[in-house]
Amino acid sequence: MNRNLIAIIRGVDPEDIVPITKGLLESGISWLEVSLSDEAKGLECIRKISDAFADEVQLGVGTVISERQVDAALEAGATYIITPGWDREIAKYVRAKDILLFPGVFSPGEIMQAASLDIETVKVFPAIDLGFGFIKNVRGPFPNMNFMAVGGVTKENIHEFKNAGYSSFAIGSDLVPRWASRKDVEKIKENAKAFVQLLEKEA
């Protein structure tokens, strides 16, 4: 299952989420992360995506900062959880449910804690602020960990992130603009196809 490219959706009105999701699927992106930065909108978007595309998308929820939000997102139809930072109690809570988790990390100590819970992929956030040298260095002591770059990934630098050692990428405004609407679908499709082609070129 290819999850090397995840579209982050933030602030989208639920009435616009179905055409936006359809555009992403048509352009080769099936892994989605709906942010709970606006919890009410996010949960309703998850419900609508799940109702319309349950068999076509891998539907995740991001910006999860509490166990309550984990439960609400799973009830709405999410199938994996992404946290903005490291929280051991939330990580243990999600792992106990046997749900895929991509926890946010920012240090070797947090990567160690994730590894101790048998987490296979961590989200490095904000990746752009740590630079490309960070991931090259931490891959040495963590050869079995997969790293997802989040924060500052663009069409112009995704190859640098990949060459540094990241295996997957979650992309926000450079793919789906924050507060996007159905009027932005063609631009979103254009962005999605460009990212897919860039990664395929390097595959």
Side-chain angles (χ1 to χ4, degrees), residues 84-153:
W86 176 253
D87 184 307
R88 187 173 182 84
E89 292 309 309
I90 291 178
K92 288 168 64 178
Y93 187 75
V94 175
R95 294 291 289 156
K97 293 177 176 292
D98 198 28
I99 299 295
L100 189 60
L101 170 67
F102 302 131
V105 299
F106 198 68
S107 71
E110 292 175 346
I111 298 169
M112 282 181 65
Q113 291 192 63
S116 74
L117 294 178
D118 296 322
I119 291 168
E120 297 179 355
T121 301
V122 291
K123 158 189 165 178
V124 178
F125 174 78
I128 194 67
D129 292 332
L130 285 167
F132 304 112
F134 172 82
I135 204 67
K136 290 180 180 178
N137 290 328
V138 298
R139 285 181 68 206
F142 302 105
N144 299 318
M145 182 63 75
N146 298 305
F147 297 94
M148 176 191 297
V150 185
V153 182

Side-chain angles (χ1 to χ4, degrees), residues 90 193 199:
I90 291 178
K193 289 174 183 176
L199 288 182

Side-chain angles (χ1 to χ4, degrees), residues 12 43 65 106 117 125 140 151 179 185 195:
V12 171
L43 290 174
I65 58 173
F106 198 68
L117 294 178
F125 174 78
W179 305 299
V185 168
F195 275 111

